[in-house]
Amino acid sequence: MMRVARLGAAGALAAAALACASAESGREIVWWTPSWGQSRAEVLADKFEAAHPGVTVKLEVTVADGLPTRIQTALRSGAPPDLIEAQHGWVVPYAQANLVQPLDDVLEDRADYLPAALEYDTWNDRLWGVPFRIETHALFYNRGMFREAGLDPDKPPQTWPALVDAAKALTRAGSAGRRQYGYAITGGGEVGNTLFRTLPLIWMNGGDIISADLRRATVNARPAVEAVTFYTDMLTRHRVSPPSTLQDDGLAIRRLFVAESVAMYQSGPFDIAPIRSENPKLDLGVMMLPTPTGGAPAAALGGWSFIVPKDARQPDLAKTLVRFLAESENMGYFTDTFPARTSAMTLPRFADPILENFKRMLPHARRLPAHKNWLQIVQIYFDHVQRVLVGDVPAQRAMDEAAVEIDRLLAGP
Amino acid sequence: MTGVLFVLPALAVLALLIVYPVVNTGVLSVTNEQGAFVALANYEAVAEGRLTATAVLNTIYFVGGSIVFQVVLGTLVGILLNQQFRGRAFLRSVTLIPWVVPGIVAATIWAWMLHSEVGIVNHLLTSGGLVNRSVGWLTDPDIVMPALIAINVWKLFPFVAIMVLAGLQTVPNELYESARVDGASFRDEIRHVMLPQIRPVLISVTLLLTIWGLNAITIIYTITRGGPANRTLVMPIYIYRQAFEAFAFHQAAALSAVFFLFSLVLVVLYLRVFAVQEGRP
């Protein structure tokens, strides 16, 4: 009996030792890549493996749902992957929490990058991520539905009041007998969907969620409340956003747009390819984001960076992979929207005329504030915006209560 | 001595997987970020939390509503499946499908079916003329929780049905025969023969459903994340958000401890009321 137990224990120990040994001698790096770029990531991973024999790149595909939480958990677990793609806005909070490695030595040709993108990933004079994809939102609109409603598709609305009027004109019984809506907003899904659609409005109106010195919440000041009211009114007052708003994220409103249930919605250039493939007959137009009367255009700079976790098992290999992916040609190939390097912008795929207004929004792009509790601040903000959408409270009161909670977070340890 | 050695591996696993996390959670709930002992400070913070009351009430609403319909529907279906009719075997298999489908898959499909614009449920209701405007199943704050309760009922009633069916198999035929001799109709048979016989089954099943319901997170988190505006925020989701979105582990631990005690009291009371009566001669 004891002999069997001893043999069994010895066997288990040997198996464990073998597993450990093989994990370290085979040079493997784990790369977390989101699902939408999976096929391109596979091509680049193969190219890298061919150029670096003996190295295997293991791709783990992630999805948007729950991604920020998943990455945070992995970074804090002590056993993270070697390379992760994260949105720019997440990078500095990770750095402030000491979860990622600085990548100053990885960056080549600093002058080629969009300064705003590099600044996004910079903290304490060091670079914590290498941006590869940048984009801002613009307004997609269905030119065919504009014509049907008697609007001129070549003269899209440029101010907030004009947008509301156009949306109302477009909210009617559609040609198929089904009700169509003028302007879809998001009210559900991941927080980022609504943040990227409301924060530019607040900025255009001259306000912000938190003050520039990151000490106070300014989300209940007049410019911010006006912007939130403008946004939520689309559902609660003007009813130009479909009733499903509270469960819709960016993907859902794109689907509604493709099904021609909504005439306008805000999104980034990554939606162009899906729209064209899912409804090739749709006459697609893109307009710049309308501004409040007398306001200046603004947009949130979105996009993604490569980060290397502090506890990555193969940090040097991971940095080599980042250097490879940041080469102009590879970056231009990999990005869904625009590359962070100006030299890559000259690739033929970026010459499509539909991208024109997206490119014109880029100079007005601003980065999101960098506070280590930013993810929680945004969750509080989103909770209260939802309360307004549900009809619980008017915007001012919701934002006042949000400000109280956000102030507590800003004052915290 | 050898007896202890036999039990040791199982004890070790139990200690690692159950005792250690529970004790660690208890320790987390009475310490702060720096590791210092702070007694009940975390519990106070939790009691004052903006969403704590909402989470508790929503949990009671969700669990209570689910159990009632799960037990009633499950029992009716179990009784039905006990009867003799053609296609009974097929129907028994089909009834199991909701229970067998993985939670996330079922939740995602239901979320799209209940979509106010492109969901098939609204499409059928409006084109069949049953309602004029599409129903906001997951967006209307008053309808969203009943909708989630309905999905939870759909998911778990097969379990009740199978348990009831198994219990009914043990009912001796003589009982039915003597009831019929006394002039009982089918309804009387259900009331006076079947239900008393499956009472122990129903008691255990309801207890299980209560525990599962209190811990249920998959369906609600997948479909609404606790929204809109925290209308469907239940305790497990609240604890998860505290721990893994706000990284306030100590407060999440305090919440878990409170929730554990709450569930424990509920279960003990339940057993007191129902199980003790069974033991009476």
Side-chain angles (χ1 to χ4, degrees):
Chain A
M1 179 57 226
M2 288 303 278
R3 193 141 165 265
V4 173
R6 262 193 240 128
L7 279 177
L13 212 64
L18 211 65
C20 279
S22 62
E24 289 188 0
S25 63
R27 306 214 300 157
E28 181 189 78
I29 31 178
V30 179
W31 173 14
W32 275 19
T33 187
S35 50
W36 49 83
Q38 181 183 353
S39 47
R40 292 194 295 278
E42 282 168 2
V43 168
L44 287 174
D46 287 339
K47 256 174 90 174
F48 183 77
E49 283 175 356
H52 297 261
V55 177
T56 23
V57 177
K58 181 157 172 266
L59 274 177
E60 286 184 6
V61 182
T62 56
V63 291
D65 248 17
L67 186 60
T69 312
R70 228 184 123 187
I71 294 181
Q72 280 244 29
T73 313
L75 290 173
R76 285 168 190 262
S77 70
D82 300 290
L83 175 64
I84 304 181
E85 292 173 45
Q87 289 192 19
H88 302 316
W90 307 339
V91 174
V92 167
Y94 293 154
Q96 289 168 332
N98 197 18
L99 295 169
V100 290
Q101 303 201 15
L103 296 177
D104 304 90
D105 53 341
V106 174
L107 192 72
E108 289 165 358
D109 209 353
R110 179 173 275 264
D112 195 20
Y113 283 77
L114 186 79
L118 283 181
E119 196 211 302
Y120 221 149
D121 289 346
T122 306
W123 175 66
N124 256 3
D125 289 323
R126 308 187 73 182
L127 186 72
W128 300 90
V130 173
F132 67 93
R133 172 180 144 172
I134 56 171
E135 71 240 8
T136 70
H137 280 186
L139 214 60
F140 285 103
Y141 66 103
N142 187 325
R143 297 167 59 95
M145 286 165 84
F146 260 58
R147 274 187 284 265
E148 277 174 29
L151 299 167
D152 185 355
D154 292 317
K155 291 212 189 68
Q158 295 187 321
T159 61
W160 286 6
L163 181 64
V164 173
D165 289 336
K168 284 186 185 165
L170 288 158
T171 305
R172 50 199 265 279
S175 45
R178 222 179 41 200
R179 190 151 182 80
Q180 73 188 43
Y181 292 88
Y183 181 66
I185 60 172
T186 61
E190 283 286 341
V191 166
N193 291 287
T194 307
L195 180 70
F196 272 67
R197 287 174 175 85
T198 52
L199 197 48
L201 301 175
I202 300 179
W203 284 339
M204 282 185 220
N205 213 27
D208 209 331
I209 290 186
I210 55 180
S211 60
D213 58 6
L214 306 182
R215 284 180 189 276
R216 301 171 292 120
T218 53
V219 74
N220 57 340
R222 202 172 53 84
V225 173
E226 274 176 11
V228 170
T229 311
F230 169 71
Y231 185 79
T232 53
D233 271 352
M234 295 287 178
L235 174 71
T236 55
R237 210 173 107 201
H238 308 303
R239 303 199 182 280
V240 298
S241 187
S244 57
T245 297
L246 275 161
Q247 65 179 126
D248 286 340
D249 59 359
L251 175 64
I253 57 177
R254 181 185 88 206
R255 292 231 167 102
L256 290 175
F257 181 76
V258 163
E260 303 198 61
S261 287
V262 306
M264 301 186 275
Y265 84 107
Q266 181 183 330
S267 190
F270 41 79
D271 271 357
I272 296 177
I275 294 175
R276 279 188 175 151
S277 79
E278 286 167 31
N279 189 349
K281 294 201 299 275
L282 205 158
D283 190 1
L284 185 61
V286 175
M287 63 171 108
M288 289 183 62
L289 295 182
T291 61
T293 333
L301 181 66
W304 296 70
S305 301
F306 293 117
I307 56 171
V308 176
K310 190 160 79 69
D311 297 328
R313 274 184 321 143
Q314 306 268 22
D316 297 310
L317 267 184
K319 289 185 181 177
T320 314
L321 181 56
V322 174
R323 232 177 257 123
F324 169 76
L325 294 170
E327 284 170 23
S328 196
E329 195 191 293
N330 293 333
M331 189 189 284
Y333 169 72
F334 188 50
T335 178
D336 263 330
T337 54
F338 295 119
R341 295 180 69 154
T342 337
S343 60
M345 199 70 100
T346 55
L347 289 176
R349 64 182 282 219
F350 301 120
D352 191 336
I354 196 112
L355 294 174
E356 196 47 48
N357 276 329
F358 283 110
K359 288 189 197 165
R360 286 164 74 195
M361 292 286 322
L362 274 179
H364 302 289
R366 289 165 60 165
R367 51 160 304 175
L368 301 179
H371 189 277
K372 73 173 162 65
N373 291 331
W374 178 245
L375 286 178
Q376 289 149 256
I377 293 173
V378 165
Q379 182 67 50
I380 293 172
Y381 166 72
F382 178 60
D383 270 357
H384 289 276
V385 169
Q386 271 198 325
R387 290 176 69 207
V388 182
L389 285 172
V390 160
D392 269 352
V393 287
Q396 180 69 60
R397 214 177 104 203
M399 293 298 111
D400 283 333
E401 292 175 21
V404 167
E405 284 176 53
I406 294 176
D407 276 329
R408 218 180 291 147
L409 269 180
L410 292 174
Chain B
M1 185 57 197
T2 39
V4 175
L5 283 179
F6 268 118
V7 176
L8 213 53
L11 274 184
V13 169
L14 267 178
L16 199 63
L17 292 178
I18 297 182
V19 174
Y20 174 69
V22 170
V23 168
N24 196 22
T25 304
V27 168
L28 270 178
S29 69
V30 290
T31 52
N32 68 2
E33 303 260 319
Q34 282 72 42
F37 180 74
V38 288
L40 295 177
N42 289 321
Y43 290 88
E44 278 172 25
V46 154
E48 287 165 15
R50 164 176 77 98
L51 292 172
T52 308
T54 314
V56 170
L57 289 174
N58 283 340
T59 309
I60 296 175
Y61 184 8
F62 180 70
V63 175
S66 301
I67 291 181
V68 165
F69 290 101
Q70 281 162 349
V71 170
V72 167
L73 186 61
T75 309
L76 287 174
V77 172
I79 292 175
L80 172 69
L81 291 177
N82 192 39
Q83 304 306 111
Q84 287 280 10
F85 58 90
R86 268 185 59 183
R88 181 176 76 167
F90 173 71
L91 202 58
R92 282 181 181 179
S93 323
V94 163
T95 307
L96 274 181
I97 291 180
W99 188 25
V100 165
V101 170
I104 299 237
V105 171
T108 312
I109 296 180
W110 272 110
W112 279 109
M113 288 208 290
L114 291 178
H115 195 273
S116 315
E117 286 307 300
V118 300
I120 191 145
V121 172
N122 273 338
H123 178 76
L124 289 174
L125 287 176
T126 48
S127 58
L130 287 166
V131 293
N132 289 331
R133 296 176 52 224
S134 45
V135 183
W137 298 107
L138 302 174
T139 55
D140 186 325
D142 298 319
I143 299 186
V144 61
M145 191 57 114
L148 291 177
I149 290 176
I151 298 175
N152 197 27
V153 168
W154 170 88
K155 189 84 181 50
L156 284 175
F157 88 88
F159 169 70
V160 181
I162 291 298
M163 290 290 134
V164 163
L165 185 59
L168 285 174
Q169 305 293 330
T170 66
V171 176
N173 257 331
E174 295 86 59
L175 286 180
Y176 292 117
E177 283 165 10
S178 54
R180 266 176 240 142
V181 160
D182 288 339
S185 69
F186 185 59
R187 291 233 327 252
D188 295 324
E189 272 181 39
I190 296 182
R191 242 185 97 204
H192 297 285
V193 177
M194 295 189 199
L195 287 183
Q197 288 294 317
I198 60 171
R199 196 163 177 277
V201 171
L202 285 181
I203 291 176
S204 337
V205 156
T206 311
L207 182 63
L208 278 175
L209 289 175
T210 309
I211 297 175
W212 289 344
L214 287 171
N215 291 331
I217 187 172
T218 308
I219 291 178
I220 303 183
Y221 191 79
T222 311
I223 299 183
T224 61
R225 278 293 145 73
N230 297 316
R231 276 298 194 284
T232 57
L233 183 75
V234 291
M235 276 302 256
I237 297 184
Y238 187 38
I239 296 173
Y240 176 80
R241 278 166 73 166
Q242 286 291 98
F244 297 106
E245 289 178 13
F247 288 97
F249 288 109
H250 300 269
Q251 293 193 6
L255 260 176
S256 306
V258 167
F259 189 49
F260 169 66
L261 286 171
F262 172 69
S263 311
L264 194 66
V265 164
L266 209 63
V267 167
V268 165
L269 275 179
Y270 179 86
L271 287 173
R272 274 271 145 114
V273 170
F274 289 104
V276 168
Q277 286 180 5
E278 269 301 294
R280 258 194 240 139

